[in-house]
Amino acid sequence: MSAAVEPAAARGGRNSVSLTTGRIGYWVASVLILVVFVAPLLWALLRAFQPTAAITQRPSGAAVTGLTWSNVKAVFGGSDSLWRYVGNSLLVAGGTALLVAVLTTLAGYGFARFRFRGAGLVFGLILVSMMVPFQAILTPLFLELNALHLTDSRLGLILFSTTMQIPFGVFVMRNSFAAVPREMEESARVDGANTAQVLLRVLRPLVTPGVATVLLFAFLATWTDFLGALTFITRSDLVTLPVQLSNLQQGVHGQVDFGQLSTGAIVSAIPCVLLYVCLQRTYVRGLTEGALKA
């Protein structure tokens, strides 16, 4: 019997060693990937607190210790403070994200639950529009917004960004609603709930991952949009953060203040990182549903 027990114990030991080795390899790979992605962010953060003279020179230990708040004071101080452009971007990106979430939720519910003639054709056209680069329709959109007197307007920029984000949002929300069993909706209707009550009280908690995905994509796309803001906004007090960062990059007489530019880049990344961290789990669930459900 002892001869039969020893091989089993040996196999258990080998399995334990293999499991420990696998965990060590997993953590080592995770740390390496973390370093690859986090190191550039930390380097940019360091550059934001270095004077321009230190940034343009060869990296050294003295550059790490000689940190200063001068870049932050220059960017956020004075009459041309970066806060104005951060506020413009937050207003446009936040308004676009909320509007896209509402419109695509209603449209996704309609495509998933209602049967009407041409529904497949309309949904197919929406998917096809995702393949059209917005640069191809930039001129017609500009002419239309100009005719409506919505150029040089935050509202016009919100409408433009919403138009660009609606196709993807409808695709995600339609699949999110399609993943919810119809029996839940039918039970609510038997209890006397109307369509609005079913959507808000029964289905809304179940499609929250899809809504979070749409919100995140719409916000990030609008927050980082440069060409649209440059095309539809010409007033200096209404430009968004990406356009202002481009102005900092151009500098005066070809001279670029890399310290201020690095500070602006860090500021532009903060809302994106915070929003992604807050919606990470919900976003991953919604994106998976949108990718797997047809």
Side-chain angles (χ1 to χ4, degrees):
M1 181 176 295
S2 60
V5 172
E6 290 180 357
R11 288 196 299 270
R14 288 196 297 269
N15 292 336
S16 177
V17 172
S18 177
L19 182 61
T20 303
T21 304
R23 289 179 177 177
I24 294 176
Y26 170 79
W27 284 108
V28 170
S30 300
V31 170
L32 291 177
I33 294 175
L34 180 66
V35 170
V36 170
F37 283 96
V38 173
L41 297 177
L42 295 178
W43 185 255
L45 182 62
L46 176 65
R47 290 302 197 187
F49 293 97
Q50 290 180 337
T52 303
I55 295 176
T56 56
Q57 293 177 358
R58 184 176 180 179
S60 62
V64 177
T65 57
L67 303 181
T68 176
W69 289 91
S70 60
N71 296 324
V72 179
K73 294 179 180 179
V75 167
F76 292 104
S79 58
D80 196 24
S81 174
L82 203 66
W83 287 121
R84 174 192 301 175
Y85 311 105
V86 172
N88 291 337
S89 290
L90 285 175
L91 181 61
V92 174
T96 300
L98 292 177
L99 186 58
V100 169
V102 172
L103 294 179
T104 57
T105 298
L106 297 176
Y109 178 70
F111 280 114
R113 289 295 188 258
F114 295 104
R115 294 292 179 263
F116 55 91
R117 181 176 299 178
L121 177 61
V122 174
F123 186 70
L125 291 176
I126 292 177
L127 296 183
V128 170
S129 65
M130 295 173 58
M131 308 176 189
V132 179
F134 80 95
Q135 293 88 346
I137 59 175
L138 194 60
T139 300
L141 285 175
F142 177 82
L143 295 177
E144 184 175 354
L145 289 179
N146 188 47
L148 296 174
H149 303 286
L150 288 176
T151 54
D152 276 337
S153 168
R154 298 186 187 94
L155 177 59
L157 190 56
I158 290 175
L159 294 177
F160 162 75
S161 302
T162 301
T163 303
M164 296 297 102
Q165 301 305 317
I166 278 181
F168 176 77
V170 171
F171 170 72
V172 173
M173 292 309 302
R174 183 258 186 187
N175 293 336
S176 297
F177 281 109
V180 179
R182 288 180 176 270
E183 290 75 13
M184 300 184 65
E185 185 176 351
E186 294 173 356
S187 299
R189 292 188 181 278
V190 170
D191 293 336
N194 55 32
T195 301
Q197 291 173 335
V198 169
L199 179 60
L200 295 177
R201 297 181 181 180
V202 179
L203 299 180
R204 179 186 54 81
L206 301 176
V207 298
T208 299
V211 176
T213 302
V214 173
L215 276 171
L216 185 61
F217 266 79
F219 183 90
L220 295 182
T222 308
W223 178 265
T224 58
D225 177 53
F226 171 77
L227 186 57
L230 183 65
T231 302
F232 296 102
I233 300 295
T234 58
R235 288 175 49 183
S236 59
D237 60 324
L238 295 180
V239 299
T240 57
L241 186 59
V243 178
Q244 180 61 19
L245 291 181
S246 176
N247 296 334
L248 288 177
Q249 185 177 2
Q250 292 177 3
V252 180
H253 302 297
Q255 297 180 356
V256 181
D257 194 324
F258 292 100
Q260 296 186 20
L261 185 61
S262 300
T263 303
I266 291 296
V267 171
S268 67
I270 290 176
C272 302
V273 174
L274 292 179
L275 186 62
Y276 178 78
V277 170
C278 294
L279 300 178
Q280 180 183 11
R281 292 186 178 181
T282 311
Y283 155 75
V284 171
R285 288 173 52 196
L287 189 62
T288 303
E289 291 178 359
L292 298 181
K293 299 294 182 181

